[in-house]
Amino acid sequence: MKKVLSGIQPSGQLTLGNYIGAIQNFVKLQETHECFFMVVDLHAITVPQDPADLREQTESVAALFIAAGIDPSKASVFAQSHVPAHAELGWLLTTLTNMGELERMTQFKDKSEGKDSVGAGLFVYPALMAADILVYNADLVPVGDDQKQHLELTRDLAQRFNSRYGDYFTVPEPYIPKVGARIMSLDDASKKMSKSNPNAGSAIKLLDPPDVIRKKISRATTDSGREIKYNLAEKPEVSNLMSIYSLCSGMSLEEIEAKYEGQMYGGFKKDLAEHVVAKLEPLQTKYNEIRSSGTIHEILKQGAENVSEIANQTVRDVKERMGFLMPR
Ligand code: AMP
Ligand code: TRP
């Protein structure tokens, strides 16, 4: 069975973008692949986190994985920091990574732009992400569009290691959905919907109550036209809303265009809000059940136990190949 791995940072409440771009695919892939789904807490601390919030968000993201349909009896669900091999391989790969490669990363440029002080962790972050993937020799990495560049670097690092120290790592492939790989902000269709955007109206959070979802969608920016047509270049806001509509309703973009031909934005937005609410309500109910059952700790513990041996073996193999004196 091919291996699938992905991770989400517990750095804020997850958005509909995370769900559509990533988690929905996790759920699909668990049926046909050996899956590793992580809450990447070590990545979250590359920007300052309040300790209590970090703990809460880590548990919350894990519970959302399960609520969204990830089945811990099929996929390993764990916290990155519970498997120390990630950090160790991360360091080993950092030493194979060039400054220039890291300087080119657009996520680093975006997150560091305009800041007086930027942590070194934010800079070397992609080497840790490469370690997450390579430590299990994953074949496939389901992510949204913004992670493509990090995946490219992961592939380069795997190939670099293989050519220096002999073939060892699987060179992973990205798995990026055709529709929904980049859900944009509701207030600005030039920015991706993000959990860290300070404008609350910009993102639908997975745990937003129905009325909040309705309000956010009714206030979403549109253009001054009146046609409900998918055209990313000329109608980016309406196109983004149509993508969300399509992904939440199961209707194709053409079907949506046909349904709303000659109609105004108001009715379309109202229906869209109901589709989003209908999509998220069962997830929210399940989320509340899981949180109150207190089972997340056990799921994460089991997940880390399942995967630790593979990860530890990879680190031993890599160290041996790199020339470390191995304890006997
Ligand atoms: P992050 O929120 O950065 O931890 O991202 C977790 C996963 O969700 C990654 O695979 C991202 O590519 C994906 N993702 C985040 N935001 C979006 C978005 N607006 N549209 C589609 N995918 C997204
Ligand atoms: N960098 C990813 C993000 O910001 C999160 C991540 C960390 C990840 N390690 C990973 C994604 C491994 C896929 C595979 O979204």
Side-chain angles (χ1 to χ4, degrees), residues 15-22 25 106-107 110 143-149 175-186 188-194 230 232 236-237 239-244 247:
T15 72
L16 196 60
N18 295 126
Y19 185 60
I20 292 173
N25 285 319
T106 54
Q107 182 170 309
D110 290 347
V143 281
D145 199 48
D146 61 328
Q147 298 301 314
K148 231 190 205 154
Q149 202 187 18
Y175 180 94
I176 297 175
K178 284 202 183 69
V179 189
R182 209 171 159 75
I183 298 296
M184 309 312 281
S185 286
L186 298 181
D188 179 353
S190 69
K191 290 202 191 107
K192 73 159 191 170
M193 185 180 282
S194 154
Y230 191 84
L232 274 179
E237 296 87 2
S239 302
N240 185 45
L241 295 179
M242 284 180 69
S243 296
I244 298 175
L247 289 152

XYZ file of all heavy atoms in Angstrom, residues 15-22 25 106-107 110 143-149 175-186 188-194 230 232 236-237 239-244 247:
374
model
N -10.020 26.539 9.053
C -10.979 27.207 8.171
C -11.559 26.223 7.148
O -11.054 25.115 6.971
C -10.308 28.339 7.372
O -9.455 27.732 6.381
C -9.473 29.247 8.255
N -12.568 26.724 6.454
C -13.144 25.961 5.354
C -12.071 25.670 4.296
O -12.132 24.636 3.619
C -14.285 26.786 4.746
C -15.266 26.078 3.837
C -15.982 24.950 4.557
C -16.287 27.075 3.289
N -11.082 26.530 4.164
C -9.968 26.290 3.223
C -9.175 25.050 3.610
O -8.853 24.222 2.757
N -8.865 24.906 4.890
C -8.162 23.706 5.353
C -8.984 22.452 5.057
O -8.453 21.410 4.675
C -7.926 23.736 6.874
C -6.992 24.839 7.326
O -7.340 25.624 8.194
N -5.819 24.924 6.745
N -10.290 22.588 5.258
C -11.173 21.436 5.093
C -11.239 21.018 3.629
O -11.030 19.855 3.276
C -12.569 21.800 5.615
C -13.546 20.652 5.600
C -13.287 19.498 6.316
C -14.726 20.732 4.869
C -14.188 18.439 6.308
C -15.624 19.678 4.859
C -15.351 18.537 5.578
O -16.230 17.488 5.558
N -11.485 22.006 2.769
C -11.661 21.710 1.350
C -10.323 21.370 0.689
O -10.220 20.435 -0.103
C -12.321 22.917 0.643
C -13.769 23.061 1.131
C -12.271 22.756 -0.854
C -14.461 24.315 0.622
N -9.285 22.138 1.042
C -7.990 21.940 0.381
C -7.265 20.699 0.875
O -6.483 20.099 0.148
N -7.501 20.322 2.123
C -6.689 19.249 2.690
C -7.520 18.125 3.307
O -7.506 16.988 2.824
C -5.720 19.854 3.717
N -9.564 15.485 1.449
C -8.764 14.492 0.725
C -8.158 13.460 1.655
O -7.969 12.310 1.265
C -7.660 15.181 -0.066
C -8.228 15.859 -1.286
O -9.097 15.310 -1.952
N -7.768 17.066 -1.551
N 8.168 31.244 -0.607
C 7.235 32.375 -0.536
C 6.518 32.423 0.812
O 6.181 33.496 1.281
C 6.187 32.321 -1.671
O 5.570 31.042 -1.624
C 6.817 32.498 -3.027
N 6.286 31.257 1.442
C 5.614 31.307 2.754
C 6.491 32.059 3.762
O 5.991 32.831 4.577
C 5.284 29.901 3.263
C 4.543 29.940 4.592
C 3.974 28.575 5.012
O 3.284 27.881 4.255
N 4.268 28.170 6.223
N 6.257 35.760 2.951
C 4.965 36.318 3.403
C 4.932 36.489 4.916
O 4.505 37.518 5.431
C 3.796 35.385 3.025
C 3.564 35.370 1.531
O 4.117 36.246 0.838
O 2.840 34.467 1.057
N -2.037 18.254 -0.014
C -1.939 19.616 0.531
C -2.647 20.586 -0.391
O -2.962 20.251 -1.532
C -0.459 20.078 0.645
C 0.224 19.499 1.857
C 0.325 19.772 -0.622
N -2.874 21.792 0.106
C -3.375 22.867 -0.742
C -2.215 23.422 -1.567
O -1.042 23.100 -1.357
N -2.600 24.277 -2.494
C -1.672 24.839 -3.460
C -0.463 25.549 -2.834
O 0.650 25.490 -3.350
C -2.502 25.854 -4.268
C -1.870 26.196 -5.565
O -1.474 25.251 -6.261
O -1.754 27.396 -5.858
N -0.677 26.194 -1.678
C 0.394 26.998 -1.072
C 1.580 26.156 -0.602
O 2.631 26.707 -0.310
C -0.172 27.818 0.106
C -0.740 26.936 1.200
O -1.258 25.850 0.906
O -0.645 27.328 2.373
N 1.411 24.836 -0.528
C 2.502 23.990 -0.033
C 3.335 23.358 -1.148
O 4.275 22.610 -0.887
C 1.940 22.889 0.877
C 1.257 23.412 2.112
C 2.206 24.246 2.957
O 3.348 23.876 3.205
N 1.739 25.409 3.384
N 2.990 23.691 -2.384
C 3.686 23.099 -3.534
C 5.196 23.330 -3.467
O 5.991 22.429 -3.704
C 3.147 23.782 -4.784
C 2.685 22.858 -5.873
C 2.431 23.732 -7.068
C 1.486 23.228 -8.055
N 0.849 24.302 -8.804
N 5.566 24.561 -3.129
C 6.984 24.915 -3.124
C 7.742 24.140 -2.037
O 8.874 23.701 -2.250
C 7.103 26.429 -2.888
C 8.391 27.005 -3.372
C 8.553 28.466 -2.974
O 7.872 28.957 -2.062
N 9.463 29.155 -3.636
N -0.188 15.898 -3.804
C -1.534 15.531 -4.241
C -2.401 16.756 -3.982
O -2.758 17.049 -2.853
C -2.003 14.315 -3.427
C -3.380 13.815 -3.753
C -3.565 12.792 -4.664
C -4.506 14.357 -3.129
C -4.842 12.310 -4.954
C -5.781 13.880 -3.423
C -5.937 12.866 -4.326
O -7.193 12.390 -4.608
N -2.648 17.498 -5.049
C -3.320 18.798 -4.909
C -4.655 18.742 -5.637
O -4.695 18.378 -6.815
C -2.409 19.921 -5.467
C -1.125 19.964 -4.611
C -3.114 21.272 -5.476
C -0.068 20.922 -5.068
N -5.764 19.049 -4.937
C -7.068 18.922 -5.592
C -7.206 19.896 -6.762
O -6.602 20.965 -6.758
C -8.064 19.283 -4.485
C -7.288 20.036 -3.464
C -5.868 19.587 -3.565
N -8.006 19.494 -7.776
C -8.188 20.359 -8.959
C -9.023 21.577 -8.598
O -8.681 22.695 -8.932
C -8.859 19.576 -10.082
C -7.892 18.639 -10.766
C -8.350 18.262 -12.173
C -7.377 17.275 -12.776
N -7.442 15.955 -12.086
N -10.129 21.358 -7.893
C -10.939 22.489 -7.423
C -10.773 22.547 -5.909
O -10.828 21.514 -5.245
C -12.445 22.287 -7.734
C -13.223 23.564 -7.442
C -12.637 21.843 -9.167
N -10.525 23.744 -5.375
C -10.478 23.879 -3.923
C -9.076 23.895 -3.351
O -8.900 23.961 -2.146
N -8.055 23.861 -4.218
C -6.674 23.871 -3.721
C -6.312 25.233 -3.144
O -5.320 25.375 -2.441
C -5.710 23.509 -4.835
N -7.111 26.223 -3.479
C -6.833 27.575 -3.017
C -8.147 28.327 -2.830
O -8.625 29.012 -3.743
C -5.960 28.260 -4.075
C -5.065 29.293 -3.503
C -4.065 29.779 -4.548
N -3.574 31.068 -4.122
C -2.699 31.232 -3.150
N -2.183 30.216 -2.531
N -2.324 32.442 -2.785
N -8.730 28.163 -1.654
C -9.934 28.910 -1.318
C -9.469 30.289 -0.858
O -8.552 30.399 -0.038
C -10.717 28.183 -0.198
C -11.163 26.782 -0.671
C -11.907 29.011 0.280
C -12.133 26.775 -1.825
N -10.091 31.333 -1.400
C -9.613 32.686 -1.108
C -10.427 33.323 0.031
O -11.508 32.848 0.386
C -9.679 33.549 -2.374
C -9.014 32.925 -3.597
S -7.364 32.250 -3.301
C -6.389 33.736 -3.315
N -9.879 34.419 0.564
C -10.559 35.151 1.638
C -11.899 35.693 1.151
O -12.034 36.054 -0.019
C -9.723 36.358 2.055
O -8.641 35.953 2.789
N -12.844 35.824 2.081
C -14.157 36.354 1.694
C -14.108 37.866 1.475
O -14.942 38.423 0.777
C -15.192 36.041 2.777
C -15.450 34.560 3.041
C -16.503 34.397 4.124
C -15.889 33.839 1.770
N -11.222 39.489 0.392
C -10.172 39.872 -0.542
C -9.737 38.630 -1.325
O -8.999 37.784 -0.812
C -8.986 40.450 0.243
C -7.833 40.853 -0.659
O -7.894 40.574 -1.877
O -6.861 41.446 -0.139
N -10.217 38.544 -2.556
C -9.988 37.323 -3.335
C -8.558 37.213 -3.861
O -8.238 36.294 -4.601
C -10.991 37.229 -4.478
N -7.677 38.147 -3.447
C -6.278 37.990 -3.866
C -5.473 37.287 -2.779
O -4.304 36.976 -2.969
C -5.661 39.354 -4.185
O -5.516 40.092 -2.984
N -6.094 37.048 -1.618
C -5.390 36.393 -0.504
C -6.056 35.066 -0.195
O -7.282 34.955 -0.264
C -5.498 37.244 0.757
C -4.727 38.526 0.738
C -4.496 38.966 2.190
C -3.962 40.371 2.285
N -4.987 41.325 2.766
N -5.237 34.057 0.215
C -5.883 32.781 0.533
C -6.614 32.893 1.870
O -6.219 33.673 2.744
C -4.864 31.633 0.552
C -3.939 31.628 1.734
C -3.320 30.240 1.970
C -2.621 30.274 3.322
N -2.168 29.028 3.842
N -7.698 32.148 1.998
C -8.410 32.095 3.274
C -7.456 31.486 4.285
O -6.897 30.419 4.040
C -9.672 31.240 3.130
C -10.522 31.234 4.384
S -12.017 30.223 4.232
C -13.099 31.275 3.302
N -7.257 32.188 5.416
C -6.215 31.735 6.326
C -6.667 31.838 7.772
O -7.394 32.765 8.138
C -4.976 32.610 6.104
O -4.187 32.646 7.257
N -18.332 31.661 -13.576
C -16.988 31.309 -13.102
C -15.962 31.882 -14.061
O -15.852 31.459 -15.211
C -16.844 29.790 -13.008
C -15.588 29.377 -12.278
C -15.559 29.319 -10.891
C -14.433 29.052 -12.979
C -14.402 28.959 -10.211
C -13.274 28.686 -12.296
C -13.273 28.633 -10.915
O -12.130 28.272 -10.245
N -12.091 33.322 -13.199
C -11.120 33.694 -12.153
C -10.465 35.038 -12.413
O -10.198 35.795 -11.481
C -10.036 32.621 -12.032
C -10.357 31.441 -11.127
C -9.207 30.457 -11.122
C -10.663 31.919 -9.690
N -13.027 37.223 -9.693
C -12.369 36.338 -8.721
C -13.226 36.084 -7.476
O -13.230 34.961 -6.957
C -11.080 37.086 -8.345
C -11.303 38.509 -8.730
C -12.252 38.469 -9.906
N -13.988 37.083 -7.012
C -14.764 36.904 -5.777
C -15.913 35.922 -6.016
O -16.117 34.989 -5.241
C -15.345 38.244 -5.277
C -14.287 39.280 -4.873
C -13.813 40.137 -6.029
O -14.330 39.965 -7.163
O -12.918 40.983 -5.814
N -16.152 33.784 -8.399
C -15.598 32.462 -8.726
C -15.232 31.704 -7.465
O -15.450 30.496 -7.360
C -14.365 32.607 -9.620
O -14.717 33.296 -10.799
N -14.661 32.428 -6.499
C -14.299 31.783 -5.232
C -15.544 31.264 -4.519
O -15.575 30.125 -4.048
C -13.549 32.801 -4.353
C -13.016 32.193 -3.069
O -12.436 31.111 -3.081
N -13.227 32.878 -1.958
N -16.581 32.095 -4.481
C -17.827 31.656 -3.833
C -18.427 30.462 -4.578
O -18.956 29.531 -3.968
C -18.842 32.807 -3.758
C -18.436 34.001 -2.872
C -19.519 35.087 -2.905
C -18.170 33.568 -1.435
N -18.290 30.473 -5.899
C -18.813 29.341 -6.677
C -18.035 28.056 -6.379
O -18.624 26.973 -6.322
C -18.758 29.652 -8.174
C -19.850 30.602 -8.617
S -19.759 30.944 -10.383
C -20.217 29.344 -11.064
N -16.730 28.177 -6.211
C -15.926 26.979 -5.856
C -16.412 26.418 -4.527
O -16.583 25.209 -4.374
C -14.446 27.323 -5.697
O -13.913 27.748 -6.903
N -16.620 27.307 -3.559
C -17.088 26.847 -2.247
C -18.460 26.191 -2.403
O -18.715 25.114 -1.856
C -17.142 28.035 -1.246
C -15.742 28.626 -1.049
C -17.726 27.575 0.089
C -15.709 29.877 -0.177
N -18.063 22.746 -3.943
C -17.455 21.753 -3.046
C -18.373 21.386 -1.886
O -18.288 20.280 -1.364
C -16.113 22.277 -2.547
C -15.065 22.285 -3.667
C -14.027 23.360 -3.460
C -14.411 20.917 -3.806
